[in-house]
Amino acid sequence: MSEKARLCTIIMPYYNTDPAVFSRCMQSFQSLPPEALLLIIDDGSDAAHAAFSDAFARENVRILHQKNGGVSAARNTGLQQAEGKYILFADSDDCIKDGFVQNLCRQADAYRAEVLIADITIMPDGCTDTTGYPKETVLPGRELAAKNPRLFAGFDLCYSVRMCFDRTFLQKNRLRFREDMTISEDMVFNMQALALSQRAVAIGESYYEYWLDTPDSATRAPYKPGYFDSLEKQYEACRAFVGENEALRRQLAAFYMDFAFYELVRNEKAGECLGYERYRALCESPMFRESILLLGKDHPCENQKAQLLYRLRHARQYRLPYVAAIK
């Protein structure tokens, strides 16, 4: 099929995915329409896994092999090689539902959307994770985000697999995934796309199954190298995105103190790298210090030391030397 006739490209990073899991994933792509291209970017898998992925190649399933550079590098290669009007994303341990391509692209056409946001289905439970955006309302991306009361707490900026992007829009704005981040790189990409979009829309339908039964995936591993650095970069991008919108600033601060702080402490402990100096650096980083100062008495303590102690207790890490860490 010519590039001109192509409707969309689905970009899928692949790295040593369990063969049974990848087979389940590819089974869901059996009914992929001919006008869609599935572009699988093998990001430096070992020989056996690379050969296993090659077995799935067909007319509209293309396998590209590259040296290992991380998931962002794989997605960026996909963006460079993509064809058609729209860009969709998938992960090699998930599944798509019937109508994934047809329905998302059809609705993106109907709304003339640069960015379309859908629900996803969490598996194996089968529950729907719906976003807090107003549905079926076309707005500039920043305005759509500002109307979401759970933008950060609901992880509604995450998961590029729930998004459909106009390829010309991405090309015009030179949008790429950050290759210096190991976690939350898709959140930053989605946020940058929303910030630049004049036509963004959310729909209340799910065509994607996000599977949680692969414990060795990057997001579910007990220890994530580079998590602290990625969180700092994520915070900088989030802070730039919310600007001076007070409601979104408070949402962001609450997210970093209620979720990110706890996850970071747990991650550092899992990596056995939470010594005193490391702990002090975490506490003094802008993402937590600024969040504490903004929330102040309302959430729920009166000063930085008390606020941090509250968070440590919430994280069940209150035996750490918290008092000396914040002056």
Side-chain angles (χ1 to χ4, degrees):
M1 176 174 289
S2 68
E3 180 177 346
K4 186 176 181 180
R6 188 79 68 189
L7 174 63
C8 70
T9 295
I10 305 158
I11 298 170
M12 179 189 290
Y14 171 89
Y15 176 73
N16 289 344
T17 306
D18 180 273
V21 171
F22 188 58
S23 295
R24 178 185 68 190
C25 169
M26 293 305 297
Q27 181 64 34
S28 72
F29 281 89
Q30 285 299 308
S31 59
L32 189 68
E35 64 269 23
L37 170 67
L38 174 59
L39 196 55
I40 300 173
I41 313 299
D42 171 29
D43 189 47
S45 295
D46 61 38
H49 285 89
F52 189 79
S53 70
D54 283 338
F56 291 91
R58 58 181 194 267
E59 185 176 354
N60 63 337
V61 178
R62 192 180 302 164
I63 320 292
L64 299 180
H65 299 278
Q66 66 180 31
K67 292 182 179 179
N68 181 257
V71 65
S72 289
R75 291 193 184 118
N76 286 339
T77 296
L79 288 171
Q80 291 170 358
Q81 300 295 322
E83 303 171 2
K85 186 174 182 181
Y86 295 109
I87 298 289
L88 303 169
F89 292 96
D91 289 339
S92 61
D93 54 358
D94 293 334
C95 298
I96 61 170
K97 299 182 183 182
D98 290 342
F100 173 71
V101 167
Q102 299 93 325
N103 286 301
L104 291 181
C105 294
R106 175 181 57 80
Q107 295 200 57
D109 264 343
Y111 289 111
R112 294 185 293 117
E114 295 167 325
V115 178
L116 182 139
I117 309 161
D119 293 344
I120 54 174
T121 301
I122 305 300
M123 299 297 287
D125 293 340
C127 59
T128 298
D129 179 52
T130 189
T131 66
Y133 301 105
K135 303 299 190 290
E136 301 178 4
T137 303
V138 179
L139 291 168
R142 286 187 185 275
E143 292 184 27
L144 189 71
K147 292 181 179 294
N148 187 339
R150 39 159 282 178
L151 183 66
F152 296 104
F155 302 96
D156 287 353
L157 287 167
C158 301
Y159 312 118
S160 58
V161 296
R162 77 187 326 156
M163 316 284 279
C164 176
F165 299 95
D166 181 279
R167 186 166 73 99
T168 300
F169 163 74
L170 295 182
Q171 289 177 325
K172 180 179 67 176
N173 290 286
R174 300 181 180 179
L175 282 168
R176 292 291 184 269
F177 288 85
R178 288 187 61 160
E179 298 184 17
D180 60 343
M181 296 179 67
T182 57
I183 298 291
S184 297
E185 73 292 328
D186 58 342
M187 178 179 178
V188 172
F189 180 87
N190 296 341
M191 193 161 43
Q192 290 174 335
L194 279 175
L196 294 166
S197 172
Q198 293 302 306
R199 296 190 64 83
V201 65
I203 60 172
E205 299 152 40
S206 169
Y207 300 102
Y208 191 91
E209 293 181 348
Y210 189 79
W211 281 79
L212 298 178
D213 62 349
T214 49
D216 58 342
S217 70
T219 56
R220 292 183 285 280
Y223 175 63
K224 308 174 187 66
Y227 191 36
F228 175 67
D229 292 337
S230 290
L231 266 185
E232 283 200 313
K233 291 166 184 170
Q234 178 199 73
Y235 178 75
E236 291 172 3
C238 289
R239 193 61 193 86
F241 180 74
V242 303
E244 298 309 309
N245 184 306
E246 184 67 14
L248 289 182
R249 286 185 64 201
R250 297 186 73 80
Q251 277 198 53
L252 178 63
F255 170 77
Y256 269 82
M257 294 316 304
D258 287 336
F259 175 78
F261 180 74
Y262 168 71
E263 288 297 318
L264 182 58
V265 169
R266 187 169 68 172
N267 183 75
E268 298 294 303
K269 283 179 68 70
E272 298 182 351
C273 51
L274 193 63
Y276 176 75
E277 290 302 322
R278 179 63 167 169
Y279 171 72
R280 182 186 180 95
L282 304 187
C283 295
E284 292 184 339
S285 64
M287 56 183 164
F288 298 125
R289 182 179 289 277
E290 291 175 6
S291 296
I292 290 170
L293 289 172
L294 176 63
L295 294 173
K297 296 180 180 180
D298 297 336
H299 201 75
C301 305
E302 295 184 0
N303 59 62
Q304 291 184 57
K305 287 183 181 178
Q307 179 77 242
L308 187 57
L309 175 57
Y310 171 82
R311 299 297 161 192
L312 287 168
R313 283 179 173 161
H314 180 71
R316 298 182 180 178
Q317 305 294 342
Y318 52 84
R319 291 188 179 88
L320 293 170
Y322 60 89
V323 174
I326 296 290
K327 294 182 180 179

